[in-house]
Amino acid sequence: MNGKVGRNDPCPCGSGKKYKKCHGAKETVSINQILENELLNLQRQIIDFALFNYESELLEDFDFQREMLILSDESEEEFYEFIHTFWFTCFELLVDGETILERFISQQLPKIKRPRLQEIFRSWTGPELVAGKITAIEENHLVVKDTLRQESFTINLFEKMQGYEKGEYVFAILLPYGQNYYSFPSCFNLPKESVADYEKFVKTEFAVSGYEDEKEFLKDYFLELMNHAPEAANKIKIDAIDWKHDSNRKVAYLFEEEMESIGELRPFIDAGIILWAEFCRRTNKRIQNPYIYVAALQYLMSMILPTSFSLTQKQLAKEYGVSANSISARYNEMFDILEDEIDKLMSFRIAGSNTESFPQFIINKHPSAPMSTERVMHEAFQELADKDFNSIEEINEYLRNKRFEPKKSKKGIVSDQEKAQNLIYDAYEIEGPQRYQLAREALKLNPSHPDGYNILAEEAGSLVEANALYKQGMELGKKDLGESFFKENKGRFWGLLETRPYMRAKMNYAQASYELGQLQEAIHHFEELLELNPNDNQGVRYSLFIAYVDNKELGKAKKLLNQYNEETAYGLYNYLLLELLENGFTPLAGKLLKNAQKSNKYVIDYITGKKKLPDYSLPSYGLGSVEEAIIYVQDHLHIWRKIPGISEWLTQSREKVKG
């Protein structure tokens, strides 16, 4: 008697059911469970193999990928490093053109005896990625419709993989299992309430990426998409704002739509909407042509937060079908009305008499450095991606208590001018020969870029040679901007991003001219810089003060101090310096010394020689710090030494103050 039971035979248990519907089904489940356990074990072996043999490659690539991610804390960084291991194992090619997964499969496949397991394991050389909505859930699998390809993937769930809901959005790495897939290691889900935002975000990112193949795009940007997608749900809700006129709301929506269409970061968009809402609140304007204000708002934001998609007023005029003059007028209007809010957003300096509590806030000696003025705010807003702000005040409060590290910006299709600008930014972030090579490459793309000459001047053989490069960059930058541009924007130059390379070149030329003893030339350019930008984001006033004093123009030096009236070491010690130069050791000088000491108690020791100045320059300082004292005295000591008996007077006067 043959003991084999056919699938359609009555079950031997006597239930009256066919074997396939009774104990045959249980046997199938048992085989599936065994297969599932073996597949899980293989997945673990893959990761062990990757970590053991390719740890350095994994760490090196994650260091690069980390720059593209928004990571709020250590646990989030660990999570993405974990996901990165799976992604890199499946998709990144090694030097021989194989992936880690392919190499593991080729080594382990001969060791697998079960034919069905061999078949499945061999198919893992074709992993998939999916970013999409869960359209169906059954007991042991879910169906996900990929946003970009509009293909559906049936994903088997391991026994412990539960808790998904229909309508949720998921990101997953998939390994084939016949017609279905298993996730590797799991499906990472986002709330279904915001699924439309996630889908729009992924589609927009693909549209602006320059990729034609959806699968290739998903492979290259998977981690970044997964990390940035929550931004889409944390956006400012335009309808939640109290708009006085529907036309104001329309501008906000048009601005949001345009910025999303070019792939701008969500924090950039939200900040623009908040500034626009504040402008509307202050002016109560009825808008006739919303596109003029959308263009002006886009231009304003590109001046505040550097962006890969920055356009000139002429380019925006063509884009929106309006005149460049109308954009300029509205931009100037918005800048004037919102200037206090813009200053708060762009400022990391907190005024206050209690300088002892100030060390966490660092002030750059040279605020013109691009990484401290043109990229840092952009990176700051990346840090704000998962924050939900409803007002300018909330953003200001957050920025005042946060320091930011620069990160690499996103890649995209850009013009030669934009490529040149990106090369310049990259050059400013590195040291050594590559810095100058990047500057040369930038100048090949845009021969008129002043920052190219600013950087090349650093490796010049002499100060005279360097100054010639600064002058060349300054003159080319001025020509590129055009005479009418200077007349139109005088007084607000630093607020226009395209002026900054020129302003840096002009500042460098003026400073080098001063060091070469060309005082009148230096003063002329320092003064012009302040006329162009009275807010003096570059710190021109400090150099101009020294030049005035060296040129014996003490009246102009005092007028300059009064103009900015700073309660800092620079301001207070320089008031004292002028009094001593003009009138000697007067009672007023004693009072001024007392006030100056309150701003920084370390300055006197370096002027008198009690403490030795270092023979190197410091890049930054905290208010009231030793570093501030060193930088101040390094710049001004030659003037203080012109005063006979100054060391003795300072020492005696300080003792009186202490007494």
Side-chain angles (χ1 to χ4, degrees), residues 191-286:
K192 60 184 179 182
E193 291 78 13
S194 302
V195 69
D197 293 324
Y198 305 137
E199 289 182 327
K200 184 177 181 180
F201 165 74
V202 172
K203 288 178 180 177
T204 300
E205 290 296 296
F206 174 68
V208 301
S209 68
Y211 281 68
E212 294 182 358
D213 186 285
E214 295 94 341
K215 189 173 180 178
E216 281 298 307
F217 167 74
L218 201 57
K219 178 173 74 72
D220 289 347
Y221 282 85
F222 181 76
L223 288 177
E224 196 172 340
L225 289 171
M226 184 175 169
N227 176 255
H228 290 180
E231 297 176 14
N234 292 335
K235 64 182 182 180
I236 294 290
K237 303 298 188 291
I238 292 175
D239 284 338
I241 298 173
D242 182 20
W243 302 100
K244 300 301 182 184
H245 309 291
D246 287 340
S247 59
N248 299 159
R249 181 186 289 104
K250 184 176 182 180
V251 169
Y253 271 117
L254 288 171
F255 173 77
E256 179 182 56
E257 181 181 345
E258 178 62 24
M259 294 302 95
E260 287 180 342
S261 73
I262 62 175
E264 192 51 80
L265 290 173
R266 190 68 231 178
F268 179 100
I269 301 172
D270 288 345
I273 292 171
I274 290 174
L275 280 177
W276 172 246
E278 181 65 13
F279 174 81
C280 294
R281 185 186 69 80
R282 295 185 183 188
T283 61
N284 194 26
K285 270 184 173 274
R286 291 182 181 273

Side-chain angles (χ1 to χ4, degrees), residues 71-81:
L71 304 172
S72 59
D73 52 39
E74 187 176 339
S75 63
E76 191 170 10
E77 181 172 336
E78 290 174 354
F79 169 76
Y80 277 100
E81 186 172 10

Side-chain angles (χ1 to χ4, degrees), residues 116 455 659:
R116 176 62 175 147
I455 294 172

